[in-house]
Amino acid sequence: MKLHPTLTVSITGMLVLSACTPVQPGSADYVPLVQESAIAFTRLAPGQTVFVEYRYPRSLFEQDSEFDTYFNDLTFNYSASARVNGNVPDPIRAADWMKFKSAEAPKGVTVSVQKVNVARAVRRTTETGGSVNVQYGDQFRVMYKITAAADAETGVDITTVTFTDGKNDSEISLNLNINK
């Protein structure tokens, strides 16, 4: 069997175009839906899986100042070539020491933690006379994988997720809206 040149070009073209298909935020772990607020609702339908990153203020996890070492180890890259829209980029590091302990999810819903990072979220960068000033807030960035079974109950639910650093537990609320 001999392929015609136009058929070969058509197949190749289709393969190239399919590689450029956009990925909807939340549908894959490498493109999570990002929730900027700790009280934002994650919406999903029965039978759906969503990858979502919540950005929590440091104070939700911390009892005192026990995480100072981890946040103080984050360093800013002040280089002009590293800036995004004029801002110094957020320094981020994996927080492997913060472990997922449990989630009290509604029936038919599974919540797992994919990764936990600590970050210094840059709000504003200003430059005056060669000096770069950065305003930032410390955050825990948690990526969840949330799956609602096909028979999951619909409705709004506040799920409690517990993390531990080995000494203290932190309970975080995760707002879910399961809707068809």
Side-chain angles (χ1 to χ4, degrees):
M1 180 173 160
K2 185 175 180 181
L3 285 177
H4 295 289
T6 54
L7 180 60
T8 304
V9 170
S10 296
I11 292 171
T12 304
M14 287 177 18
L15 291 173
V16 168
L17 289 175
S18 68
C20 298
T21 303
V23 176
Q24 171 123 3
S27 61
D29 62 351
Y30 56 90
V31 186
L33 174 65
V34 176
Q35 302 285 22
E36 295 290 340
S37 169
I39 60 172
F41 277 84
T42 294
R43 290 171 172 73
L44 68 159
Q48 182 181 15
T49 296
V50 174
F51 292 90
V52 61
E53 178 182 278
Y54 274 83
R55 297 181 175 188
Y56 298 113
R58 173 182 174 176
S59 60
L60 287 180
F61 283 79
E62 197 167 43
Q63 307 290 320
D64 196 7
S65 297
E66 64 267 25
F67 303 138
D68 279 353
T69 302
Y70 302 109
F71 284 96
N72 291 339
D73 282 347
L74 297 171
T75 56
F76 293 103
N77 181 352
Y78 295 102
S79 161
S81 63
R83 295 187 195 172
V84 178
N85 297 325
N87 279 327
V88 168
D90 300 350
I92 302 168
R93 180 170 291 146
D96 298 332
W97 44 270
M98 183 61 73
K99 303 291 183 194
F100 169 69
K101 192 171 180 180
S102 65
E104 295 176 19
K107 185 179 179 197
V109 176
T110 305
V111 176
S112 62
V113 173
Q114 302 298 294
K115 64 181 170 182
V116 179
N117 291 322
V118 290
R120 288 209 151 145
V122 175
R123 286 188 219 111
R124 191 170 134 197
T125 301
T126 56
E127 192 167 351
T128 310
S131 176
V132 179
N133 297 307
V134 176
Q135 293 178 352
Y136 64 90
D138 290 340
Q139 295 179 334
F140 278 89
R141 294 183 180 179
V142 180
M143 189 194 325
Y144 297 100
K145 177 182 179 184
I146 304 169
T147 302
D151 61 348
E153 293 180 23
T154 59
V156 173
D157 189 79
I158 298 174
T159 298
T160 301
V161 182
T162 306
F163 294 89
T164 186
D165 67 351
K167 297 176 188 165
N168 298 308
D169 289 354
S170 303
E171 290 186 351
I172 307 295
S173 294
L174 178 64
N175 297 323
L176 302 176
N177 183 351
I178 318 280
N179 203 336
K180 291 184 180 186

